Amino acid sequence: MLRTALRNVLAHKARLLMTVLAVMLGVAFVAGTLVFTNTISDAYQKSSQKGYEGVDVAIAPDKKDDDAANPGDAPRLSQQLLDQAGKAAGAASAYGVVDGYSAVADKKGDLIGGGFSSRGGNYYPGSDGKDSRYTMTEGRAPKAIGEVALDSRTAERGHYKAGDSVRVSVDGPVRTQKVVGVFTTDDGNVAAGGTLALYDTATAQKLFGKPGQFDEIDVKAAAGTSQSTLKSAIDKILPEQAKATTGKKLAKDQAEAIEQGMSSMQTMMLVFAGIALFVGIFIIVNTFSMLVAQRTRELALMRAVGATRRQVTRSVLIEATIVGAIAAVVGLVAGIGIGAGLRSVLNSTGAKVPDGPLVVAPTTVLVSVLVGVVVTVLSAWLPGRRAAKIPPVAAMNSVHAAPTTRGLVVRNTIGAILAAGGIALVVAGAGMGGDGRGPMAFGAAVLVIGVFVLTPLLSRPLIAAASPVLRIFGMPGKLARQNAVRNPRRTAATASALMVGLTLITGMTVIAGSIQQGISKMAADGLRSDFVVSMGGGARPLSPEVSKTLAKLPEVTSISPLRASPARIAGDSDSLTGVDPKAIRNLVNVDFTEGSFTALGGTKALIDDKIADEHDWKVGSTIPVTYEDGRKGRLTVGGVYEGNQMIRGVMVDSATVSPHMAMVADFQVMVKAKGGATEANKDLLKKTLGENPAIKIQTKQDISDEIAMIFTLMLNMLYGLLAMAVIVAVLGVINTLAMSVFERSKEIGMLRAIGLDRRGIKRMVRLESLVISLFGGVLGLGLGLFFGWAAGELIATGLPTYELVLPWGRMGLFLLMAALVGVIAALWPARRASKLNMLMAIKGE
């Protein structure tokens, strides 16, 4: 039986090629994902470990979960503590670390690195005048206000050298600094494309709002002193709520954080690899079903001469194992190439990855081989088992071919029950709000399985609907329709492969478009301001000088900074939003259930309806509050408004909250100007703020466009990942048609003999492929729309402005893509069918 299996594999090389390709693509995706994520994770971990080589013990604030509400209780890492740490038993030296945001512009005025990880720090010279963290390759270290040193990669990108002037921004206002030095560093953020600007310690502390304080104190152990021994000595001098950690522990924690951060990316990519493999299962089942059907007489003869059912099944599974092993090995090699390619692509986008070797872990090899072999063997098991059950005499007379009416009724009944149950679960989940995710996900899986089971039944009416169009093509069109419904199970399996990909693509397109529309509507409905000013590169603090500078413009009619301060509100960690009580009513648009903006001021606050409902507060209620500096007070509810994603929380007068803030800063400034949100007004604001590339000045349309860009980028990434499943589906159509042509060789020969020319044969095969692909496309669009609607009902509970958007243009494009898949997939099978020798085809058995 082993020799028979090997002979069959060698005898059907061309027919098994598509199966090998389908499995290989899925395995390559899995292997490429593992290689890519392992390589990046290893590079960052080694870079991180390198950065901790000079740190034996680090002292940092020991913030508890509730400390965010009481920063006033946080320890102060002072110069005194630094001096004590440097004199601790077993300590060789100690240096203080100051860290903050510092954006660097190039000579054209553009932000270097796009704001990604734009960091600032301090150069802390030791007794030898050097900071072991940084090696100066040009110039010297900064020593006074107005001086800065840049990392070598940033200097290269900005074309800076020692002696040049550079524009930097820490909290809003542009500062022109003199570049006095260029340095190299093992900082992982710099290696990944970020920027690092160093100032002298006093300047850094002033710029980052930490006068006389450090974010961290790093201690180097003397020769012969272990990290644990040094830590024990440091623990004795620590103030309350400060902790010491060894360098080894820091490196380990950082490595675990990097690994955890990469795991989400790895999981997402493996999900799409799984989808590609799932689609490949249809091809494998189809291929082995057809191969077994073509060899029924051969298998029957083997049974007649003594082979058992188990041996017949085993021979088919041995073939599958050989095919799976070949596909797995080729897929592994291709996956290694994909992993290397993805790293190069990532580097080319500007998101630099630290240098390091390509990592091919033993688990990657094992997983790739197991996935390839197991998926293929499991997919081939059903056709093999079906072949073994055919009685020898029946197989020799081909009376087994037609499925029984009872079998079809049972199949369709099961499919209908599953589909109905799946629909019911999805609809029920859609109406359950946040609790409906589980039922909806389970219902979606049941519905998809139900549709798979029902697809042979659905194929006849849906393909019959195409008859009027196919009649235009005459006899080839009629034959194509008959061929497409001749074997409904095979047609269903082929179309289902394409259906899976289009279901996911359509569903995600509907959800993304609807969310984008909802957020755009929220921005339009929630904001009255013409412009929103903020720092780029994330939620960075904005200097109060920004709002003061803009307020002096005669074109500005109303302006209010938004100032966030962590606090405890009724015992819960939350934050207070400081606003200008007179201007805010002209800048935001909210509906009040109680009170109005006129009540805002002093100790009177406005709260959103969710907070009010949670605590059962109303106008006149007293709110106990602990401010950022730890002082306690009471606020009175002056109004309750309907919160949204743009405006929510507890609003108070900025004058009330500012005295309690450790560092007075804004996170946004809302501006209303004469003439509205015009380009002229926008340019005026930019010019007034010194053409600062680190500051974003956005209109409502800009906010919508930024959100649209994010969703477009995400969608394009998902489309790219799902392209693998579509490619596998194309291979499935090619495989099915090619083997179908082989099966119908005699029939095609007869058609040629009675007058159908080669062009007609090609047209027949192409139309058959087109019909099958469009059948899968229609099913995919239908399921995708249904799932998109259902998921939207859940999203709407957290996004009130969410509204279903049906992307008719894209759906038409997806259907056109399905048709294109059919046309491309039929090229080779149609050409092969047209070239058959009619006499040899008629004569062949």
Side-chain angles (χ1 to χ4, degrees):
M1 298 304 294
L2 177 61
R3 286 198 300 269
T4 302
L6 290 171
R7 178 180 60 79
N8 286 329
V9 170
L10 295 174
H12 303 103
K13 293 187 290 290
R15 294 180 228 173
L16 291 170
L17 176 62
M18 297 300 172
T19 302
V20 171
L21 283 174
V23 180
M24 182 271 289
L25 284 172
V27 172
F29 207 156
V30 171
T33 296
L34 294 175
V35 169
F36 173 63
T37 52
N38 287 342
T39 297
I40 293 180
S41 180
D42 181 72
Y44 275 116
Q45 286 178 16
K46 287 182 177 176
S47 176
S48 173
Q49 288 171 357
K50 226 175 178 181
Y52 285 116
E53 282 180 358
V55 180
D56 289 311
V57 174
I59 303 172
D62 184 16
K63 291 185 177 180
K64 309 298 183 185
D65 293 339
D66 59 351
D67 283 338
N70 292 309
D73 297 336
R76 294 178 179 272
L77 305 185
S78 63
Q79 184 66 45
Q80 182 183 0
L81 178 61
L82 174 60
D83 295 338
Q84 289 176 338
K87 296 174 183 177
S93 61
Y95 54 85
V97 178
V98 183
D99 183 61
Y101 176 77
S102 183
V104 181
D106 62 20
K107 292 185 176 180
K108 295 180 181 178
D110 297 325
L111 199 62
I112 299 177
F116 165 78
S117 191
S118 298
R119 307 302 303 166
N122 69 311
Y123 188 92
Y124 193 89
S127 56
D128 59 354
K130 297 180 181 179
D131 189 328
S132 59
R133 298 170 295 172
Y134 312 110
T135 302
M136 287 292 163
T137 57
E138 183 183 345
R140 60 171 176 83
K143 296 179 180 178
I145 294 176
E147 296 182 347
V148 67
L150 301 177
D151 71 87
S152 56
R153 297 194 182 196
T154 300
E156 182 180 351
R157 285 184 286 175
H159 304 289
Y160 289 116
K161 61 182 184 298
D164 289 345
S165 292
V166 61
R167 297 168 75 235
V168 300
S169 179
V170 172
D171 55 0
V174 175
R175 304 169 191 272
T176 301
Q177 308 280 319
K178 181 181 179 182
V179 179
V180 295
V182 176
F183 61 91
T184 58
T185 176
D186 294 322
D187 191 308
N189 287 323
V190 173
T195 62
L196 180 60
L198 295 182
Y199 307 88
D200 67 276
T201 299
T203 301
Q205 289 173 330
K206 182 179 178 182
L207 289 176
F208 304 137
K210 301 156 187 172
Q213 298 179 53
F214 298 98
D215 294 293
E216 184 176 294
I217 295 174
D218 294 337
V219 188
K220 180 73 174 173
T225 303
S226 67
Q227 291 187 353
S228 56
T229 302
L230 178 60
K231 179 181 178 299
S232 298
I234 295 293
D235 285 337
K236 296 175 182 178
I237 64 169
L238 291 182
E240 190 179 354
Q241 289 188 312
K243 66 176 180 178
T245 310
T246 63
K248 289 180 181 178
K249 179 70 165 55
L250 288 172
K252 182 182 177 183
D253 291 345
Q254 183 73 9
E256 289 176 355
I258 292 170
E259 190 173 345
Q260 188 176 1
M262 293 301 300
S263 66
S264 57
M265 179 193 294
Q266 187 179 79
T267 301
M268 182 187 74
M269 294 179 70
L270 286 176
V271 165
F272 286 94
I275 292 169
L277 284 168
F278 180 67
V279 171
I281 287 173
F282 293 103
I283 299 176
I284 301 166
V285 172
N286 246 3
T287 302
F288 277 93
S289 295
M290 287 188 278
L291 287 175
V292 168
Q294 291 167 16
R295 290 177 9 225
T296 49
R297 292 192 179 185
E298 176 189 329
L299 295 173
L301 184 59
M302 291 172 62
R303 290 286 312 282
V305 297
T308 64
R309 288 184 177 182
R310 184 174 294 177
Q311 285 177 314
V312 171
T313 304
R314 191 182 300 155
S315 70
V316 175
L317 294 182
I318 290 172
E319 287 182 54
T321 302
I322 296 170
V323 171
I326 294 171
V329 172
V330 176
L332 175 61
V333 174
I336 294 171
I338 289 173
L342 286 174
R343 184 171 68 169
S344 298
V345 169
L346 197 64
N347 282 331
S348 67
T349 62
K352 302 294 182 183
V353 178
D355 296 330
L358 200 65
V359 178
V360 184
T363 52
T364 301
V365 177
L366 183 62
V367 167
S368 300
V369 173
L370 282 178
V371 165
V373 173
V374 170
V375 166
T376 310
V377 170
L378 288 178
S379 303
W381 177 77
L382 189 60
R385 186 169 176 270
R386 192 183 299 143
K389 282 188 172 182
I390 300 170
V393 176
M396 290 179 181
N397 289 281
S398 300
V399 297
H400 65 287
T404 63
T405 304
R406 181 184 175 187
L408 291 174
V409 170
V410 170
R411 178 188 178 115
N412 293 336
T413 302
I414 293 173
I417 293 172
L418 289 173
I423 291 173
L425 282 170
V426 170
V427 172
M432 293 169 65
D435 298 328
R437 294 177 184 175
M440 182 179 291
F442 181 69
V446 172
L447 175 56
V448 170
I449 293 171
V451 172
F452 286 158
V453 177
L454 282 176
T455 305
L457 176 66
L458 297 173
S459 65
R460 289 186 178 276
L462 288 178
I463 292 176
S467 295
V469 178
L470 292 175
R471 288 197 191 103
I472 299 173
F473 299 95
M475 185 55 65
K478 182 179 180 181
L479 291 171
R481 186 187 67 80
Q482 291 175 349
N483 289 335
V485 296
R486 177 184 295 184
N487 192 329
R489 289 184 177 180
R490 185 184 303 169
T491 298
T494 306
S496 295
L498 190 59
M499 179 191 77
V500 172
L502 282 180
T503 296
L504 293 168
I505 289 173
T506 304
M508 287 187 299
T509 302
V510 170
I511 293 169
S514 300
I515 291 176
Q516 179 185 324
Q517 178 73 12
I519 294 178
S520 297
K521 189 173 185 297
M522 181 175 292
D525 294 347
L527 296 178
R528 287 183 181 175
S529 64
D530 297 318
F531 302 98
V532 175
V533 182
S534 62
M535 288 292 287
R540 308 291 184 183
L542 198 63
S543 170
E545 292 301 317
V546 171
S547 61
K548 291 178 183 177
T549 301
L550 295 178
K552 294 176 182 177
L553 290 174
E555 289 80 3
V556 172
T557 58
S558 189
I559 185 169
S560 173
L562 271 62
R563 193 165 292 171
S565 176
R568 277 189 180 281
I569 300 173
D572 297 328
S573 296
D574 210 321
S575 67
L576 300 172
T577 302
V579 299
D580 184 324
K582 294 180 180 178
I584 194 67
R585 69 189 69 184
N586 302 319
L587 301 169
V588 298
N589 187 27
V590 293
D591 295 324
F592 281 85
T593 57
E594 286 187 274
S596 66
F597 277 119
T598 56
L600 182 62
T603 58
K604 286 192 175 182
L606 304 180
I607 61 174
D608 67 45
D609 50 351
K610 287 186 178 179
I611 295 177
D613 292 340
E614 183 181 348
H615 296 280
D616 196 24
W617 288 336
K618 55 187 178 182
V619 171
S621 297
T622 301
I623 304 174
V625 58
T626 303
Y627 292 103
E628 184 176 342
D629 58 2
R631 295 183 181 179
K632 299 183 183 297
R634 290 188 174 273
L635 297 174
T636 304
V637 177
V640 179
Y641 64 93
E642 294 180 5
N644 53 52
Q645 296 294 324
M646 303 296 293
I647 305 295
R648 58 182 174 180
V650 180
M651 279 193 282
V652 296
D653 189 339
S654 290
T656 301
V657 73
S658 296
H660 301 285
M661 296 178 69
M663 175 182 174
V664 179
D666 308 319
F667 65 90
Q668 277 183 354
V669 175
M670 293 186 172
V671 180
K672 200 168 184 64
K674 293 177 182 177
T678 63
E679 282 299 318
N681 281 336
K682 190 174 184 179
D683 290 340
L684 175 64
L685 298 186
K686 284 182 179 179
K687 187 176 180 181
T688 303
L689 295 176
E691 300 285 348
N692 191 337
I695 291 182
K696 289 195 300 185
I697 301 174
Q698 296 177 296
T699 62
K700 284 183 277 191
Q701 186 60 48
D702 291 333
I703 294 172
S704 297
D705 291 344
E706 185 177 58
I707 294 166
M709 185 175 68
I710 293 171
F711 279 105
T712 300
L713 180 62
M714 288 174 59
L715 265 183
N716 289 339
M717 287 175 60
L718 294 174
Y719 288 161
L721 292 170
L722 283 172
M724 187 70 73
V726 175
I727 292 171
V728 174
V730 172
L731 293 176
V733 179
I734 295 173
N735 205 23
T736 300
L737 289 174
M739 300 190 78
S740 180
V741 166
F742 178 82
E743 283 183 342
R744 304 201 307 261
S745 295
K746 183 180 287 190
E747 176 187 321
I748 292 171
M750 288 294 296
L751 289 172
R752 289 288 314 282
I754 61 176
L756 192 62
D757 59 9
R758 290 186 174 183
R759 182 178 295 177
I761 295 292
K762 283 184 179 180
R763 185 172 295 169
M764 177 188 73
V765 176
R766 288 171 183 163
L767 289 173
E768 179 184 351
S769 175
L770 185 64
V771 166
I772 292 173
S773 297
L774 285 175
F775 171 53
V778 169
L779 287 179
L781 285 177
L783 282 175
L785 284 174
F786 179 66
F787 291 145
W789 164 81
E793 292 298 303
L794 291 184
I795 295 169
T797 60
L799 185 63
T801 54
Y802 179 92
E803 58 182 53
L804 184 66
V805 175
L806 298 181
W808 296 109
R810 289 208 176 190
M811 288 194 294
L813 188 64
F814 296 156
L815 204 57
L816 186 63
M817 183 182 73
L820 186 62
V821 164
V823 172
I824 293 173
L827 291 177
W828 178 63
R831 187 168 177 269
R832 183 183 177 192
S834 68
K835 286 193 171 186
L836 284 174
N837 184 299
M838 68 179 75
L839 296 178
M840 294 298 293
I842 293 171
K843 181 181 176 182
E845 286 293 334

